[in-house]
Amino acid sequence: MCHSDDSRPPGPPLRGEVGVTMQLELTAADGNRFAAYRATPRDEPRAGMVILPDIRGLHPFYKALAKRFAEAGYDAIAFDFFGRTAGVGERDEDFDWKEHVGQVTPAHVRADAQAALEKIQSPGRSAFTVGFCFGGGHSWRLAATDIPISGAIGFYGRPALVSEAVDDLRAPLLMLIAGNDAATPLEDFRELDARLSDAGKEHEMHVYEGAPHSFFDRAFDEWQDACSDAWERILAFTEEQATNT
């Protein structure tokens, strides 16, 4: 399990004001209708950010995370993976994600991410993806598609999901890894890191030694330094890649 109903994301190092928040229903190119949640900063956004949740879809944690990204200056939108099989209902503790997660394909994620991105796209402004666990691997994999993003960020994602698409990567990756991740051995990430380097793909991998899966949670007092560092890396990564785009 990733984040519980009591989990909430840590805030960015410098917080601005949130302008508008809204619950949405979007339609992908294949006709899928799915839920999304958008939060915008009061001031001009620094970039767009598409948030890919963990295995439970648009859980309250990710709605709160969209607000945290808006506080950090991003036009942020989090979306749900399960519109095709579960409709647009709530994704709380009672949601049976096990019934649905195995039916989600990379093509589904790409279609839904594209629709979410179109909602926040603005001419001349860079956009990024950030994902967690199941969504982390899919975030990295989106860097190998034709979706116009300047970079892909992932926490704890599954290496195998992006490993098979390494040769097609078109945007840089930021990999934020829990050093004591019970879900995925650290060695799997090190192998992916080496393969990316061998292929000449731009990427950065940072391991938070001893940190557990889903450490990016303000409830984990002992990992607040790691959470702060992760925020700083996200801010630096997006600023650098927006400049390079």
Side-chain angles (χ1 to χ4, degrees), residues 172-188:
L173 308 183
L174 175 60
M175 304 161 60
L176 301 170
I177 309 304
N180 191 25
D181 192 336
T184 307
L186 181 57
E187 185 57 34
D188 289 1

Side-chain angles (χ1 to χ4, degrees), residues 1-85:
M1 185 58 67
C2 292
H3 296 286
S4 71
D5 276 0
D6 295 330
S7 297
R8 286 297 181 269
L14 296 175
R15 296 192 189 187
E17 293 188 29
V18 176
V20 177
T21 62
M22 62 192 81
Q23 184 78 32
L24 303 168
E25 287 188 16
L26 303 179
T27 303
D30 63 359
N32 175 50
R33 289 193 63 79
F34 61 99
Y37 185 87
R38 183 181 185 184
T40 65
R42 177 164 294 182
D43 297 328
E44 181 67 22
R46 67 166 75 218
M49 186 65 71
V50 178
I51 301 169
L52 286 72
D54 62 46
I55 50 179
R56 291 182 305 159
L58 193 56
H59 181 272
F61 180 92
Y62 295 101
K63 296 180 182 181
L65 184 61
K67 295 178 184 176
R68 301 293 82 78
F69 270 102
E71 290 173 348
Y74 299 86
D75 187 350
I77 186 166
F79 71 90
D80 184 69
F81 296 118
F82 305 120
R84 292 171 183 81
T85 59

